[in-house]
Amino acid sequence: MEPLLKVENLVTGYRTEQGLVKAVDNISFEVNKGETVCIVGESGSGKSVTSLSIMRLVDFENGEIIDGSIHFQDKDLASLSNEDMRSIRGSKISMIFQEPMTALNPVFTIGKQIMETFYFHRSYSGKKAKQRAIELLELVGINQPEERLKQYPHELSGGMRQRVMIAIALGCEPDLLIADEPTTALDVTIEAQILELLKTIKQEMEMSILLITHDIGVAAEVSDRIIVMYAGKIVEVAPTIELFSQTLHPYTKGLLESVPKMSGERGVELPSIEGTLPGIHSMPIGCRFAPRCHYKTEKCVQVEPPLENHYGHLAACWHAEEVRNGTLEKGETT
Amino acid sequence: MNVVHGTDHTQTPPSSEEVLIQVEHLQKYFPLKKKKIFGPPEVVKAVDDISFKIYKGETLGLVGESGCGKSTLGRNLLRLQEPTGGKVFLRDVNFTDLSKKELRSYRKHVQMIYQDPFGSLNPRFTVGQVIGEMLTIHKLATGDARTKKIKELLALVGLDPDRIDNYPHEFSGGQRQRIGIARSLALDPEFIVADEPVSALDVSVQSQIINLLIRLKKELGLTLLFIAHGLNVVRHISDRVGVMYLGKLVELSGTDDLFDHPAHPYTAVLLSTVPDADPAARRERIVLKGEVPSPINPPSGCRFRTRCPLATEKCAELLPELEEIRPGHHVACHYPLEEGESLKERISKNDKGAVNL
């Protein structure tokens, strides 16, 4: 089956005074129809830039797609003109942002912002657009939708605004929904509501979701497959259950271990990943995680490991099999 | 009158029975701008009549959603804001009665770690100045002794002492949080309020800071009030945990007891919503309807009743007091869950009861 979205060898960079900086460096992945894929990574891993590249929103931030292709349906989004891209954005692919406070325009009513997409993509009449907007607000669980249409963003709470954002994103029944940290700014009880909402909507509308998050707990909860990114590279791709049960990459392993578990032993020292992300101007030549890795050998420092299939899922590590089997003794990082 | 001050025998006993901080009926109201000229002024009851104790050597975790008043409580404990009412005792000294001048010298016993490692350090001060300022103000060390003390503090929190002359922007987020911790330790305090100290950090850095706090607490015998919204983090670090909702303390208990047998429906819901990093253990969430009501006009009676699956008329009329229902387990609810009873079970039991009637 042909995947819905196929990203190949994507390189996205930003032009800075110190020269070109590659925020995403040669990554490839797919999203299938009806699948929820999570990209997990810490700040600076390139996960948000990946989503902005797919939406072609990097162009507006001094960035550019330097190399690679983004196949969506039968088009290559990486080389599409801006006009053609506009007909896809918000219609075929739509996006939910992290900050529901700033993503909505404060000077327009909720109704106007929801209906805008229908005028643009669907050329609906005013009456039809309004009716559809009410349907959408009901779908995302906002009561008294007719009243809400006349309200401004500041009159709504954070959770409500995120629901409105989702309503806008779903307006044209997109095939792919990109959600960039959709619950990070929200409280846990509201986060639970939004995650449930995304799950039900996905089933009802048969769309694919690409969820960007730093919270491995959220990823574990909703995704079918997880992509782990580190310093602009994909380090591991696996079906969700497998990522946890058969971790192949030392970074993923470190990430999983460093989160306190709800059933773990309390008060003990947590395993942690020492050190910090390498600076974007001084990326290591070999494996980018090597300076912080317990398992590194000379080869890791010299040669970059390719993203390869081990035991049925992908990992970019020379020692993936030893990490999985736990046969390699942890050395000292120097 | 106040059950909290009854006998305390927590299931996970704190390292000593000595009470370090005692909070009595603490209130913090924020007045709002008057809308009507003749009406009574509206107030936000951010912290509303809260009483509890903190034992020496323990870490008390405080959880709750944004707007529940947990940070306000922390700030009022240290009198960084003036409480509207109530008392805070540090041992037998009434902290709330101290004059400004007395307060200054007392501040060295109580310190604070802030959430934002970027905003809480003066960008124009070197690390040495940030930490050394405390020593200068309290006239504890000058000259070489001061430099030596600062370097010791940097080493203590795992930073290179030679970076004493660097500026905050030269450090990463995690390192800055370490600087903030070093600063709070500069005066050898007994009690530290840590307000969301790891929330702004990346996961891998988060665990480094949690480890540091656990280590420092052991080595220096600190008493911590650890405010956070991340339940897994609070569970990991705390000896006892308090849960707040809309300005009220709704549950307070030993950590294991609270997480294994939550008695307040709100706590039970909170626990069910934590995304746990274990897909094999995907649990059924209990999703609450609606959102936290406005603290300007909080619901009558129990403040959680508008979202509570167990609420009855009694909850609307009578405010439940924080009572000890099991040894060391305090809860403010008319219908607390029994030990070993889940909220789901209670809800279905109630439903059946309704049918039978």
Side-chain angles (χ1 to χ4, degrees):
Chain A
M1 190 180 71
E2 190 65 8
L4 177 72
L5 176 80
K6 190 170 185 181
V7 175
E8 279 182 305
N9 307 324
L10 178 71
V11 180
T12 303
Y14 287 87
R15 303 211 175 273
T16 67
E17 283 173 14
Q18 289 99 335
L20 187 74
V21 161
K22 290 176 185 169
V24 167
D25 196 356
N26 198 3
I27 65 166
S28 305
F29 65 92
E30 296 163 0
V31 178
N32 293 315
K33 209 163 180 290
E35 194 183 26
T36 302
V37 176
C38 273
I39 301 185
V40 176
E42 298 180 274
S43 34
S45 62
K47 56 188 192 306
S48 287
V49 176
T50 306
S51 65
L52 293 176
S53 303
I54 297 169
M55 285 296 270
R56 280 279 300 280
L57 291 171
V58 277
D59 313 22
F60 301 101
E61 292 185 348
N62 251 335
E64 74 182 275
I65 296 174
I66 295 163
D67 200 8
S69 60
I70 302 168
H71 291 287
F72 176 77
Q73 290 169 344
D74 47 8
K75 297 185 184 72
D76 177 12
L77 304 186
S79 55
L80 226 51
S81 72
N82 263 330
E83 275 82 80
D84 290 341
M85 197 59 217
R86 285 184 78 180
S87 69
I88 288 181
R89 234 182 258 137
S91 161
K92 298 273 171 45
I93 307 180
S94 49
M95 187 156 175
I96 311 169
F97 299 89
Q98 172 175 356
E99 286 286 330
M101 317 296 156
T102 49
L104 290 168
N105 191 331
V107 300
F108 293 120
T109 60
I110 302 301
K112 187 160 176 138
Q113 294 184 61
I114 298 176
M115 291 187 277
E116 192 184 8
T117 47
F118 307 138
Y119 298 137
F120 186 82
H121 291 294
R122 295 281 186 272
S123 49
Y124 280 1
S125 67
K127 199 179 163 191
K128 198 174 174 195
K130 190 179 170 191
Q131 195 194 342
R132 176 81 182 128
I134 291 171
E135 276 172 32
L136 282 168
L137 287 182
E138 273 170 358
L139 178 74
V140 297
I142 292 180
N143 40 22
Q144 299 165 308
E146 252 172 287
E147 304 300 307
R148 298 290 181 189
L149 286 182
K150 294 175 214 147
Q151 288 187 322
Y152 287 88
H154 75 264
E155 296 176 75
L156 305 180
S157 67
M160 286 290 216
R161 280 184 241 192
Q162 197 58 293
R163 282 171 195 269
V164 170
M165 280 298 299
I166 294 173
I168 295 173
L170 296 177
C172 297
E173 305 195 354
D175 298 303
L176 176 66
L177 178 70
I178 301 177
D180 189 356
E181 305 263 12
T183 59
T184 307
L186 306 174
D187 276 317
V188 272
T189 56
I190 310 298
E191 174 177 86
Q193 292 174 356
I194 299 291
L195 291 180
E196 283 301 313
L197 176 66
L198 284 178
K199 273 192 210 167
T200 42
I201 284 171
K202 186 198 133 192
Q203 271 165 4
E204 275 174 31
M205 301 180 80
E206 293 177 351
M207 57 180 184
S208 308
I209 298 182
L210 181 65
L211 185 82
I212 317 286
T213 179
H214 72 280
D215 188 340
I216 205 135
V218 169
E221 203 87 14
V222 298
S223 67
D224 300 314
R225 216 147 50 87
I226 295 182
I227 296 171
V228 183
M229 285 189 74
Y230 181 78
K233 292 271 184 191
I234 292 179
V235 296
E236 188 161 0
V237 184
T240 305
I241 303 271
E242 227 176 281
L243 187 86
F244 288 83
S245 61
Q246 301 199 26
T247 314
L248 294 181
H249 199 283
Y251 174 66
T252 316
K253 202 174 152 80
L255 211 55
L256 293 179
E257 285 173 351
S258 61
V259 185
K261 307 284 176 305
M262 288 300 277
S263 49
E265 195 184 342
R266 297 192 293 109
V268 293
E269 190 166 325
L270 291 167
S272 63
I273 306 171
E274 296 303 322
T276 45
L277 206 70
I280 202 148
H281 295 288
S282 54
M283 280 295 170
I285 325 159
C287 173
R288 295 189 172 180
F289 186 58
R292 301 173 73 186
C293 185
H294 284 300
Y295 297 89
K296 76 155 178 226
T297 54
E298 197 50 39
K299 190 178 182 186
C300 306
V301 182
Q302 299 298 337
V303 195
E304 195 182 319
L307 191 66
E308 281 179 332
N309 195 332
H310 308 262
Y311 301 101
H313 76 250
L314 301 173
C317 177
W318 292 119
H319 302 293
E321 301 184 6
E322 289 109 306
V323 175
R324 173 183 176 269
N325 300 329
T327 49
L328 194 74
E329 283 298 304
K330 281 186 182 180
E332 280 298 307
T333 45
T334 42
Chain B
M1 157 187 82
N2 201 333
V3 231
V4 192
H5 303 298
T7 46
D8 273 280
H9 298 289
T10 40
Q11 288 193 341
T12 41
S15 37
S16 73
E17 288 288 311
E18 188 189 340
V19 176
L20 184 69
I21 302 279
Q22 180 154 342
V23 182
E24 287 181 13
H25 305 289
L26 191 71
Q27 295 170 324
K28 178 66 186 176
Y29 296 170
F30 295 101
L32 292 174
K33 225 177 175 178
K34 265 193 176 183
K35 271 188 186 158
K36 295 177 196 149
I37 301 172
F38 296 110
E42 283 188 314
V43 289
V44 174
K45 296 182 177 179
V47 170
D48 195 7
D49 195 5
I50 284 184
S51 308
F52 62 96
K53 292 169 183 171
I54 303 175
Y55 295 97
K56 187 167 168 49
E58 79 166 339
T59 301
L60 178 68
L62 200 56
V63 296
E65 297 176 87
S66 43
C68 73
K70 54 188 193 301
S71 292
T72 308
L73 177 65
R75 279 191 219 115
N76 280 279
L77 279 190
L78 303 190
R79 277 184 71 187
L80 296 177
Q81 279 170 345
E82 287 300 324
T84 313
K87 290 172 187 163
V88 178
F89 289 93
L90 177 76
R91 292 230 167 74
D92 43 6
V93 180
N94 186 348
F95 207 63
T96 31
D97 266 358
L98 294 180
S99 70
K100 282 246 162 77
K101 210 174 164 189
E102 291 168 317
L103 186 62
R104 271 206 163 182
S105 65
Y106 244 90
R107 279 259 162 79
K108 59 175 172 264
H109 301 294
V110 291
Q111 286 293 318
M112 184 132 181
I113 302 169
Y114 298 90
Q115 170 174 6
D116 181 4
F118 298 89
S120 60
L121 302 175
N122 189 333
R124 291 169 203 277
F125 276 15
T126 64
V127 174
Q129 285 169 315
V130 165
I131 300 170
E133 194 185 16
M134 317 274 285
L135 301 170
T136 312
I137 290 172
H138 289 272
K139 301 189 177 71
L140 289 179
T142 49
D144 286 347
R146 182 171 174 268
T147 314
K148 188 167 163 264
K149 174 83 181 164
I150 297 168
K151 287 193 170 179
E152 275 171 17
L153 284 164
L154 287 176
L156 183 68
V157 296
L159 289 172
D160 182 0
D162 291 336
R163 298 187 70 181
I164 184 167
D165 291 324
N166 289 38
Y167 285 89
H169 74 264
E170 297 172 77
F171 293 88
S172 70
Q175 288 172 327
R176 281 188 228 199
Q177 200 55 296
R178 287 175 195 267
I179 298 169
I181 293 171
R183 174 175 62 183
S184 74
L185 294 173
L187 303 173
D188 297 319
E190 282 186 274
F191 177 58
I192 293 183
V193 174
D195 190 1
E196 304 263 13
V198 299
S199 308
L201 305 174
D202 266 321
V203 198
S204 67
V205 183
Q206 214 175 47
S207 57
Q208 293 172 11
I209 299 295
I210 294 171
N211 287 342
L212 176 67
L213 285 172
I214 292 177
R215 199 193 82 211
L216 290 174
K217 188 202 139 193
K218 269 187 206 145
E219 282 176 12
L220 308 175
L222 294 170
T223 306
L224 276 177
L225 178 68
F226 188 90
I227 303 170
H229 64 271
L231 284 160
N232 55 346
V233 173
V234 168
R235 178 183 174 277
H236 189 80
I237 202 170
S238 311
D239 300 309
R240 290 193 304 149
V241 175
V243 182
M244 284 185 72
Y245 186 80
L246 262 186
K248 286 279 187 193
L249 192 61
V250 297
E251 189 159 3
L252 176 67
S253 156
T255 307
D256 287 328
D257 198 26
L258 185 105
F259 279 79
D260 294 342
H261 309 291
H264 200 285
Y266 178 62
T267 313
V269 169
L270 265 192
L271 293 181
S272 86
T273 54
V274 186
D276 201 359
D278 183 5
R282 274 189 206 184
R283 291 140 301 133
E284 207 177 337
R285 292 157 177 274
I286 306 166
V287 177
L288 279 182
K289 289 200 179 66
E291 310 194 358
V292 184
S294 157
I296 301 167
N297 276 313
S300 64
C302 174
R303 299 197 169 177
F304 183 55
R305 70 172 169 87
T306 50
R307 302 170 82 196
C308 182
L310 306 179
T312 63
E313 274 172 34
K314 185 181 176 189
C315 302
E317 287 157 11
L318 197 64
L319 177 74
E321 293 285 334
L322 194 69
E323 285 178 53
E324 188 165 9
I325 52 155
R326 294 195 284 272
H329 198 136
H330 306 267
V331 65
C333 178
H334 293 308
Y335 307 103
L337 300 171
E338 305 286 330
E339 198 167 341
E341 183 188 27
S342 78
L343 183 58
K344 280 253 151 88
E345 284 164 15
R346 173 68 70 86
I347 294 170
S348 63
K349 200 170 115 194
N350 281 3
D351 286 350
K352 272 183 206 145
V355 173
N356 288 343
L357 285 172

